[in-house]
């Protein structure tokens, strides 16, 4: 049986967070309790945006919640990073996934295994680096991209 546990979410230039904001989730957390206007809904919204962007490949400009707080030094991207603990028969460990998007599309994306520092993939716009994967894994990925 496999399990996936969200350990951390970090936002930059999303919602009300112009600078980096991080929410660390402990082992036995059942609720996020923060004061009014501290960003609880913003973190939930970012997770929903991330799910749509990654699982459905759907980045909607209307849902790209770029921070509008600092108009004198605007950033044109949103960055979301998560830490997932995965436990199953073949892939156990902690993985770090991050994505930066603009209103045009994906700026960069990456995934690495946290405790080993092994990069699984890195993407900059449409260029993907899969150099750390073996030839069999690369073959499977190329076949699925062609199909």
């Amino acid at each position: 049986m496999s399990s996936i546990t969200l350990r951390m979410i970090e936002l930059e230039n999303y919602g009300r967070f112009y600078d980096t904001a991080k929410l660390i989730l402990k082992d036995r957390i059942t609720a996020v309790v923060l004061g009014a206007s501290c960003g609880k809904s913003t973190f939930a919204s970012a997770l929903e945006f991330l799910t749509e962007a990654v699982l459905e490949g759907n980045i909607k400009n209307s849902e790209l919640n770029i921070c509008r707080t600092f108009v004198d030094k605007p950033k044109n991207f949103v960055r979301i990073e998560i830490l997932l603990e995965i436990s199953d028969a073949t892939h156990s460990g902690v993985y770090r996934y991050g994505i930066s998007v603009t209103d045009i599309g994906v700026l960069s994306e990456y995934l690495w295994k946290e405790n080993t520092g092994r990069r699984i993939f890195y993407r900059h716009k449409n260029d993907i680096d899969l150099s750390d994967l073996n030839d069999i894994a690369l073959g499977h990925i190329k076949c699925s991209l062609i199909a």
Side-chain angles (χ1 to χ4, degrees), residues 37-102:
S37 296
C38 286
K40 297 178 296 290
S41 297
T42 304
F43 281 107
S45 170
L47 281 173
E48 186 176 343
F49 174 82
L50 185 63
T51 302
E52 292 253 336
V54 173
L55 297 180
E56 299 179 20
N58 196 5
I59 298 173
K60 299 175 186 169
N61 291 343
S62 61
E63 294 179 10
L64 189 58
N65 193 0
I66 293 178
C67 181
R68 307 273 191 264
T69 304
F70 293 94
V71 292
D72 59 332
K73 44 181 191 170
K75 298 177 186 176
N76 67 342
F77 67 92
V78 164
R79 184 180 63 82
I80 303 172
E81 184 175 283
I82 59 174
L83 209 57
L84 297 172
E85 185 175 341
I86 301 174
S87 298
D88 70 16
T90 58
H91 298 93
S92 62
V94 177
Y95 293 84
R96 182 176 297 269
Y97 172 80
I99 188 169
S100 294
V101 296
T102 67

Side-chain angles (χ1 to χ4, degrees), residues 28 33 35 52 98 117:
R28 299 190 184 268
V33 180
E52 292 253 336

Side-chain angles (χ1 to χ4, degrees), residues 86 90-97 110-122 129-135 137-138 141:
I86 301 174
T90 58
H91 298 93
S92 62
V94 177
Y95 293 84
R96 182 176 297 269
Y97 172 80
Y110 55 87
L111 175 68
W112 74 73
K113 193 165 184 180
E114 187 72 5
N115 55 347
T116 65
R118 187 176 71 93
R119 183 171 65 186
I120 297 168
F121 79 88
Y122 176 78
D129 179 9
L130 302 168
S131 61
D132 288 352
L133 297 178
N134 62 34
D135 292 337
L138 284 171
I141 291 169

Side-chain angles (χ1 to χ4, degrees), residues 6 48 75 103 137 145:
L6 179 65
E48 186 176 343
K75 298 177 186 176
D103 58 351
L145 290 174

